[in-house]
Amino acid sequence: ISFSVASPAPDTTAPVVSITSPVTGSIATGSAISLIASASDAVGVIGVQFKLDTNTVIGTEDTSAPYSVVWNSTTIADGLHTIIAIARDAAGNRATSTAISVTIDNTTPLRSAGAPTGVLPVGTTGTTLSLSTNEGAVCRYSTVAASSYAMMTAFSTTGATAHGAALTGLSNGTTRTYYVKCRDTAGNIHTDDYVISFSVASPAPDTTAPVVS
């Protein structure tokens, strides 16, 4: 009498995987971004590997839930990129998540058109300190070079691309110098100063002789 016990049918069902963080449409900045995926399988997930722009491997495969990796975005060019997660099971079945899109932004705003400059007319007691940035930003200024952003004074008009603050108390024959730093919506903050300097003209010397009789 002879018999056998049938072998289980081979596992041909791929895992199910999706990226849970970040969400598509996010702005990515910095060197420690957490990529997190959720994965499940009828038998068991062996590991999840993240990839950038389809083919570039991000970190090492994570073999335990929650499946994650810390990603350094500062090595990648600014702009729009995609991220996928690939899950595999013990039978070699693989599944790829729906790609998410993220915009990498590790560049500080470009500052330009600082004003006023040069020499303002005699008698000027007030003016507007202003500059432009190439993206939305919050700009601050100080009269002390190399001040930390947190210790500077915010422009009264800021947050978009045009920034301005009213200055008062100017006097003839003086020079004013202001140092500006900005932070964009991704959190990139300048470490260097943008200098705006100007002066108020001195009155012409009195060369008229008295009149006497």
Side-chain angles (χ1 to χ4, degrees), residues 188-212:
N188 299 301
I189 301 176
H190 292 112
T191 57
D192 63 316
D193 289 323
Y194 180 80
V195 181
I196 301 175
S197 185
F198 63 93
S199 61
V200 179
S202 297
D206 180 5
T207 58
T208 303
V211 175
V212 61

Side-chain angles (χ1 to χ4, degrees), residues 109-110 131-139 157-164 182-185:
L110 177 65
L131 78 155
S132 298
T133 53
N134 66 332
E135 60 178 321
V138 174
C139 294
T157 299
T158 192
T161 59
H163 316 272
C182 302
R183 180 187 65 199
D184 66 14
T185 55

Side-chain angles (χ1 to χ4, degrees), residues 10-25:
D11 177 11
T12 59
T13 303
V16 175
V17 59
S18 62
I19 296 176
T20 57
S21 181
V23 297
T24 194

